Amino acid sequence: MSWLEALAIFAAGIAAGGINTVVGSGTLITFPVLLAFGYSPVTANVSNTIGLVPGSISGAIGYRRELVGQRPRLIRLGAASLLGGLAGAILLLTLPDDAFKAIVPALIVLALVLVVLQPRLAKRLAARRADSGAGEEGPRHGGVLLWVAVFATGVYGGYFGAAQGVLLLALFGVFIAENLQRMNAVKNVLAGIVNGVAAIVFMLVADVAWWVVLLIALGSVIGGQIGAKVGRRLPPTVLRAVIVVVGLIAVVRLLL
């Protein structure tokens, strides 16, 4: 690995850590960078997942004030994320590499669609709340349907992970009437659980590029703090545009 490659991976880790904390979809930054430097899709995904765990923890710590009073919700939904992440990691390691190459472009496209549609989903949520007269407090945990949906999102996150944060925020908007920043804090914790349990599985049995893990981990910790402090001030349109461009590059590279 050259110094230029190391610097690029470290910078991608910072960007991914910040984006994951604010929106989700940071994998759409780091994953294409690793592909560009010649790592296989599975090795890139495994190493990226492990490397982003410290960034998830950093982002959750940055949102610690918004987590106050949400312990029962975190325990309930965290169990779904843990089981889903474990299932997704096992799928990644048991399915052939060709299956990953075939599935991931579709997953990235789905993630990009969700990134683009997020503002519209937020507007519909606001309108629904206004029509129902709901305030910030609503259903505490979202019921069985949300638990199952969070489990499914965990499976997706353990397998690939891009935009699992966007998926979670969309689900929270449908099932829980709650302040968006508090839900974003929950999203960071659940995504961290998924990445964490998948990382444990990958470290035990998968081929890991450890220098990549170290660089992304260091960068994502910095990015997580930046995202928690100033990410809310960034123009959402610009952030989504960057994610979409990078994601499309990843799709093209995987398909060629």
Side-chain angles (χ1 to χ4, degrees):
M1 182 187 299
S2 69
W3 283 105
L4 182 60
E5 291 176 350
L7 182 60
I9 293 171
F10 175 69
I14 295 176
I19 290 172
N20 277 341
T21 301
V22 179
V23 181
S25 307
T27 292
L28 294 181
I29 300 294
T30 45
F31 186 72
V33 170
L34 297 181
L35 291 181
F37 291 143
Y39 293 94
S40 71
V42 173
T43 299
N45 187 47
V46 165
S47 304
N48 176 68
T49 297
I50 299 173
L52 287 177
V53 171
S56 298
I57 297 172
S58 177
I61 292 173
Y63 269 88
R64 59 189 177 277
R65 289 192 300 272
E66 287 82 0
L67 289 172
V68 174
Q70 299 203 74
R71 183 176 179 181
R73 179 180 290 156
L74 291 173
I75 292 174
R76 179 183 177 88
L77 297 180
S81 291
L82 189 150
L83 294 173
L86 179 61
I90 292 173
L91 283 176
L92 176 67
L93 297 176
T94 54
L95 292 177
D97 288 356
D98 289 343
F100 183 84
K101 292 178 181 179
I103 294 170
V104 166
L107 294 179
I108 294 178
V109 171
L110 172 62
L112 295 179
V113 170
L114 289 169
V115 169
V116 172
L117 292 180
Q118 189 183 30
R120 186 173 298 178
L121 292 172
K123 289 181 180 179
R124 289 187 177 180
L125 169 61
R128 181 176 66 85
R129 289 179 179 171
D131 291 341
S132 64
E136 290 189 353
E137 297 297 329
R140 289 177 60 85
H141 307 305
V144 176
L145 286 178
L146 178 60
W147 196 96
V148 173
V150 169
F151 169 80
T153 303
V155 175
Y156 167 75
Y159 187 86
F160 181 55
Q164 66 169 314
V166 177
L167 279 168
L168 287 170
L169 287 175
L171 290 170
F172 295 157
V174 172
F175 290 100
I176 302 176
E178 175 67 277
N179 178 275
L180 180 60
Q181 294 300 338
R182 283 171 61 79
M183 289 294 90
N184 199 33
V186 173
K187 176 265 294 180
N188 287 332
V189 173
L190 297 187
I193 290 173
V194 171
N195 287 343
V197 68
I200 292 172
V201 174
F202 296 154
M203 286 189 291
L204 292 175
V205 298
D207 181 20
V208 180
W210 287 107
W211 278 111
V212 169
V213 170
L214 177 61
L215 291 167
I216 292 179
L218 292 174
S220 66
V221 168
I222 297 172
Q225 290 301 304
I226 294 173
K229 292 181 178 179
V230 303
R232 298 167 191 161
R233 304 174 186 175
L234 295 177
T237 302
V238 174
L239 191 58
R240 290 188 184 91
V242 171
I243 294 172
V244 170
V245 170
V246 173
L248 289 175
I249 293 173
V251 171
V252 171
R253 180 169 178 81
L254 283 168
L255 292 177
L256 290 179

